[in-house]
Amino acid sequence: MAPTLIYIFGGTGDLAHRKLIPALFNLYIDGYLPGPFTIVGVGRSKIEESTYRAQMRKSIKEFARRSELTTKYWSKFSKNITFQTHDLNSDKSYKEMAAGWKAFQEEHGKESQIIFYLSVAPQLAPVIAKRLHGHRLCHDPKRSRMVFEKPFGHDLASAQELNVMLGKLFREEQIYRIDHFLGKETVQNILALRFANALFEPIWNANYIDHVQITAAETVSIESRGSYYESSGALRDMVQNHVLQMLCMVAMEAPISFEADEIRNKKLDVLQALRHMRPEDVHRYAVRGQYGPGWSKGKKAAGYRQEKAVDPQSNVETFAAVKFYVDNWRWKDVPFYVRTGKTLAAKETLITVQFRPAPDYAFPDEAAHTWRPNRLVIGIAPKMDIRLRFQAKQPGPSMTLRPVDMVFSYASRDEEDCQPEAYETLLQDVIEGNPTLFMRADQVEAAWKAIQPIMEVWGHKPPVDFPNYTPGSWGPEDAEALIARDGFNWATLPEV
Ligand code: NAP
């Protein structure tokens, strides 16, 4: 790998502390960072390099997957970390960075590459892009890349505008739009499960699959991110990106190769096949919720409207459930139910594929009580496993049945420790120049397009019942009704 200079814009921020620097540390331990590399944290804060390093060491101790190795590797790793105070609106900063890049190349050779990770508020992205271009910091498409954090745009129009602007300044292959869910082992494993096994693909269609569910539930509130959440909400924050990407992995056609564009084309096909919702139908397909005050783990918990930096009259949703249809041959009339929310009953992200019920004519009437359709449940996080539910005969003289789970688990503690964190996988891909797991411009826009009608209707019609769920519940009653109307109920993981 070529010598690499990595600028982390927002180097003093939450993401850099909790995810980026710990991920780079783990990549270093595993030998995945290039020979010579330098990480430059950037922020407006005036801090000394030694202070910054000390802060990063603390973050690694607290958040890195193998924090116990901090002492062993820190002194070597930290030699590659530095900090620079810059205002990213100011030209002067980019002049200094251009000088830094020139010096890096002089020291390490012309093959060196430069990466800018924009871990800053999305409003800064356009000005940063213009300045990077103006100062020729990304003029070589083979040796310079930019990583854009989510949210990429605020709606379809703003995402298009940003894409057009970036398209004028850079090549698409330099632009890495990150969706960290795609870096998760369990999400990537969906491709292996579907396309490396002869078992599933022949029945992976509307003839055999009844419906699909995706749950991305969090137990935490919005915590200290009130100002961000007020301009976002559950639909923008989770559905537009992570949830729809998981849906694409389940619904996409088999790729003919694992080339970046081949995978991305197949996913784009799914997004483009999502049934368009007419405004008058949105209430039948989508449900929103907001948590009120209540109790969480025996302690009083504030409602969303009482959180810091939140408008006491806010109508922003902290829960969203949507029924999608993928209008193509494979998925004709198969509903995809998705839900996501804050302060819910359990922290779990899972995908449930429910197969059509088998005919039960031959079995005695008692069997009907325990008759369950087959289900494939893919635990994405924090539980990482795959469960196949099937019917088995209960031991004894009569033909009574019971559902049993066959489980593949990444469970042993040791194995879990070996799993790279999503940000490790993704940062390694950026360094190696592999965009497969990143969103292309057209994918991002197609995802915004899919939820645009919901955003518009919700934006125009204030909710009449907010707050409508309590912390520790599974969200508003309407979300239960959304799926119950079709004769199903939301799946959760079995409690251990
Ligand atoms: P944050 O904690 O608010 O950090 C923002 C960073 O931006 C700080 O380091 C701040 O540095 C820097 N900054 C702001 N204005 C600047 C300027 N004019 N010049 C230079 N630096 C400036 O934000 P965050 O939570 O790390 O999030 C960063 C990005 O990642 C956002 O786009 C967010 O949506 C996305 N993201 C975050 C998470 C997460 O878990 N945190 C998850 C997914 C996506 P100073 O304070 O030193 O100026």
Side-chain angles (χ1 to χ4, degrees):
M1 272 184 285
T4 305
L5 177 58
I6 305 170
Y7 278 97
I8 299 186
F9 292 170
T12 51
D14 176 69
L15 189 69
H17 274 280
R18 284 194 307 110
K19 296 288 180 188
L20 303 181
I21 297 290
L24 287 164
F25 179 67
N26 280 321
L27 287 175
Y28 179 74
I29 293 176
D30 287 335
Y32 289 135
L33 290 185
F37 73 94
T38 300
I39 300 166
V40 186
V42 170
R44 287 163 305 182
S45 312
K46 292 191 170 56
I47 40 180
E48 295 294 323
E49 182 179 82
S50 56
T51 313
Y52 187 66
R53 284 184 179 167
Q55 288 173 358
M56 290 304 131
R57 186 179 200 277
K58 194 162 167 272
S59 297
I60 286 170
K61 269 262 185 231
E62 195 172 347
F63 301 113
R65 179 163 59 90
R66 285 170 298 182
S67 55
E68 72 281 3
L69 296 177
T70 313
T71 312
K72 185 167 174 198
Y73 288 97
W74 173 253
S75 73
K76 277 189 182 166
F77 177 69
S78 64
K79 289 196 177 94
N80 304 288
I81 299 184
T82 177
F83 181 80
Q84 291 174 7
T85 303
H86 287 301
D87 180 352
L88 291 165
N89 291 301
S90 139
D91 253 331
K92 183 170 160 274
S93 295
Y94 298 85
K95 270 186 202 150
E96 287 170 19
M97 285 187 251
W101 173 218
K102 191 163 171 265
F104 189 87
Q105 291 177 95
E106 279 165 8
E107 188 179 350
H108 300 295
K110 286 283 170 212
E111 288 308 305
S112 306
Q113 54 180 13
I114 186 163
I115 291 166
F116 295 95
Y117 197 116
L118 276 65
S119 180
V120 289
Q123 298 84 307
L124 278 173
V127 67
I128 292 174
K130 281 184 199 149
R131 299 268 198 274
L132 290 177
H133 179 260
H135 288 269
R136 294 178 59 76
L137 275 155
C138 287
H139 70 287
D140 183 344
K142 294 223 167 340
R143 298 192 298 128
S144 55
R145 282 160 222 140
M146 285 147 286
V147 185
F148 290 85
E149 259 299 338
K150 74 154 204 192
F152 190 89
H154 183 69
D155 53 17
L156 178 58
S158 57
Q160 281 170 332
E161 198 181 318
L162 187 53
N163 277 333
V164 168
M165 194 202 87
L166 294 176
K168 284 185 186 153
L169 305 179
F170 311 107
R171 298 249 193 97
E172 178 63 27
E173 74 237 38
Q174 293 178 272
I175 303 166
Y176 285 64
R177 299 172 192 81
I178 208 159
D179 183 333
H180 75 268
F181 262 56
L182 294 177
K184 287 183 188 287
E185 280 293 317
T186 40
V187 173
Q188 292 174 62
N189 192 40
I190 298 172
L191 292 185
L193 177 82
R194 286 193 54 199
F195 303 125
N197 295 296
L199 269 185
F200 298 112
E201 196 50 22
I203 55 168
W204 206 260
N205 56 53
N207 294 332
Y208 296 96
I209 291 178
D210 213 20
H211 72 275
V212 177
Q213 298 181 22
I214 300 174
T215 291
E218 293 180 272
T219 48
V220 291
S221 66
I222 56 149
E223 296 175 308
S224 57
R225 305 186 74 207
S227 60
Y228 161 73
Y229 213 80
E230 277 288 271
S231 64
S232 169
L235 195 66
R236 286 186 169 90
D237 189 44
M238 292 294 290
V239 179
Q240 188 270 343
N241 35 66
H242 310 320
V243 171
L244 282 179
Q245 284 304 307
M246 286 190 277
L247 189 153
C248 286
M249 299 292 256
V250 174
M252 67 188 261
E253 294 300 317
I256 52 167
S257 75
F258 281 92
E259 292 292 312
D261 270 339
E262 170 61 7
I263 300 278
R264 300 197 287 183
N265 287 342
K266 291 288 189 281
K267 291 205 270 180
L268 180 64
D269 285 345
V270 175
L271 293 169
Q272 288 179 334
L274 288 175
R275 186 175 297 174
H276 179 72
M277 282 176 217
R278 292 178 308 174
E280 59 272 31
D281 292 334
V282 162
H283 71 282
R284 290 200 292 125
Y285 288 104
V287 167
R288 57 182 151 170
Q290 187 190 75
Y291 61 87
W295 292 85
S296 174
K297 292 182 190 151
K299 281 190 188 159
K300 257 193 166 172
Y304 178 69
R305 290 175 176 180
Q306 289 79 51
E307 302 278 16
K308 216 170 132 203
V310 169
D311 177 353
Q313 309 292 323
S314 176
N315 285 327
V316 169
E317 81 285 354
T318 58
F319 177 98
V322 186
K323 175 161 80 164
F324 288 106
Y325 284 98
V326 181
D327 282 338
N328 60 18
W329 270 68
R330 184 189 283 266
W331 296 111
K332 185 179 179 307
D333 294 335
V334 175
F336 284 72
Y337 303 95
V338 309
R339 63 173 174 171
T340 183
K342 298 280 186 190
T343 73
L344 296 182
K347 177 178 166 60
E348 59 189 37
T349 299
L350 69 150
I351 299 171
T352 304
V353 178
Q354 181 150 321
F355 293 89
R356 293 197 183 281
D360 60 355
Y361 314 121
F363 288 87
D365 289 347
E366 314 80 90
H369 298 302
T370 49
W371 197 263
R372 299 281 184 280
N374 297 126
R375 256 183 186 179
L376 184 71
V377 181
I378 304 169
I380 302 293
K383 216 166 200 198
M384 297 165 47
D385 57 19
I386 297 176
R387 303 166 172 265
L388 182 60
R389 182 173 80 181
F390 58 93
Q391 295 286 66
K393 181 182 173 299
Q394 202 151 340
S398 61
M399 181 48 90
T400 3
L401 302 173
R402 66 167 176 194
V404 290
D405 275 356
M406 197 159 70
V407 184
F408 155 67
S409 174
Y410 294 79
S412 100
R413 201 50 226 143
D414 287 353
E415 273 184 40
E416 267 180 31
D417 278 355
C418 297
Q419 308 287 337
E421 280 263 345
Y423 276 98
E424 289 172 43
T425 308
L426 296 170
L427 278 163
Q428 191 186 344
D429 283 353
V430 176
I431 293 166
E432 291 177 0
N434 177 3
T436 312
L437 299 177
F438 295 80
M439 309 274 285
R440 220 170 41 192
D442 48 6
Q443 280 178 290
V444 176
E445 289 177 20
W448 278 118
K449 209 168 170 185
I451 63 160
Q452 188 73 24
I454 310 176
M455 290 192 305
E456 280 170 13
V457 170
W458 287 1
H460 286 119
K461 280 194 186 161
V464 288
D465 59 349
F466 273 13
N468 59 359
Y469 73 96
T470 48
S473 69
W474 276 109
E477 279 179 12
D478 285 354
E480 303 298 327
L482 177 81
I483 192 165
R485 272 200 298 272
D486 298 339
F488 310 124
N489 56 311
W490 291 106
T492 52
L493 284 175
E495 282 180 26
V496 191

